[in-house]
Amino acid sequence: MSRISYVNGQYVRHREAAVHVDDRGYQFADGVYEVIAVSNGRCIDLDPHFDRLDRSLRELQIAAPMPRSALRVVVGETVRRNRVQTGIVYIQVTRGVAKRAHPFPKDTHPAIVVTARHFPPPSEAYINNGVKVITAPDIRWGRCDIKSISLLPNILARQAATVAGVYEAWLIDKAGDVTEGSASNAWIVDAKGKLVTRTLGNELLGGITRAAILDAARQNKLDVVERAFSLDEALHAREAMVTSTTAFVLPVVAIDGKPVGSGVPGPIYQRLRPLYEARVSAELGAFTA
Ligand code: PMP
């Protein structure tokens, strides 16, 4: 089956899908994106992703390319036309096409691309045995709360992780605290048994999965706190985890080659994973009703 992508108002064959060389996303990384998980052909947490997209656009003063109701149709149609059951939807919006010059162009429409493809859920090995991370200095800009397509520092950190043969790189700020992963949020279970993830701020992305896990943990009366934690604290934590749209929640069993806790997935992770899965089933179930 040939894949279909949505590009600026048209569904086109993916191999022919193209944007203009003067697209400001291509020229300046002047754009934002979202990645949404698809399960049973349905999007997980679609509205929170749309909310975050709206926020990213607003922060960069890029106009919404279409109303949310229309975008919902385009996303659903792109999933359907690609027959994605388990996978991801990618949405990218840029400031549009204009002669290359730094200031915002006048009278330019935002450009939008939506793609959808099969993407396997995390492997059983990751779910049951955990993943390893390395650390890298956080060399990103001051607005990491915006889901910008400008991802060079994230790419460099993830490449270092790949070369090291591990799943993710945790980014460490100048104070020695963990900001987040290159493409995931970072969590620990501290010495008191509290589930900890960094408070939201300009220095990290408000993960949709982070919010879902916080919500599930609180509803189930787990002891949760949002605060910064240092790499040193993480190295001595009882447990560590990552969350993201593609990972859901995965246990981190080693940081920079040193085992976390006893070096195997811990009890808080074992509680959270089914809670997250139940939440998704409830949402998708409610969707079909
Ligand atoms: N932080 C960064 C830098 C990311 O790229 C991602 C993945 N989008 C996340 C956190 C996790 O966010 P989400 O749970 O919305 O996928």
Side-chain angles (χ1 to χ4, degrees), residues 33 49 52 140 147 154 180-185 205 207-210 243-245:
Y33 74 106
H49 280 281
R52 187 171 64 185
R140 299 175 302 163
K147 202 162 167 58
N154 307 61
E180 59 181 335
S182 74
S184 59
N185 288 110
L205 185 74
I208 303 302
T209 324
R210 174 189 178 280
T243 57
S244 77
T245 292

Side-chain angles (χ1 to χ4, degrees), residues 37 44 46 73 76 79 92 109 115 137 182 231 241:
I44 300 173
L46 188 55
V73 172
V79 170
Q92 175 169 313
H109 295 292
T115 59
S182 74
L231 171 58
M241 284 165 242

Side-chain angles (χ1 to χ4, degrees), residues 133-141 144 151-161 168-186 198 203-205 229-231 234 242 255-256:
V133 303
I134 56 164
T135 59
D138 193 344
I139 58 170
R140 299 175 302 163
W141 72 323
C144 297
L151 288 171
L152 260 185
N154 307 61
I155 288 168
L156 294 176
R158 179 57 76 90
Q159 176 61 13
E168 178 61 300
W170 276 11
L171 306 175
I172 311 299
D173 69 14
K174 291 206 172 69
D177 291 337
V178 178
T179 43
E180 59 181 335
S182 74
S184 59
N185 288 110
R198 188 165 173 142
E203 66 285 4
L204 74 161
L205 185 74
F229 58 89
S230 67
L231 171 58
V242 289
I255 302 171
D256 285 335

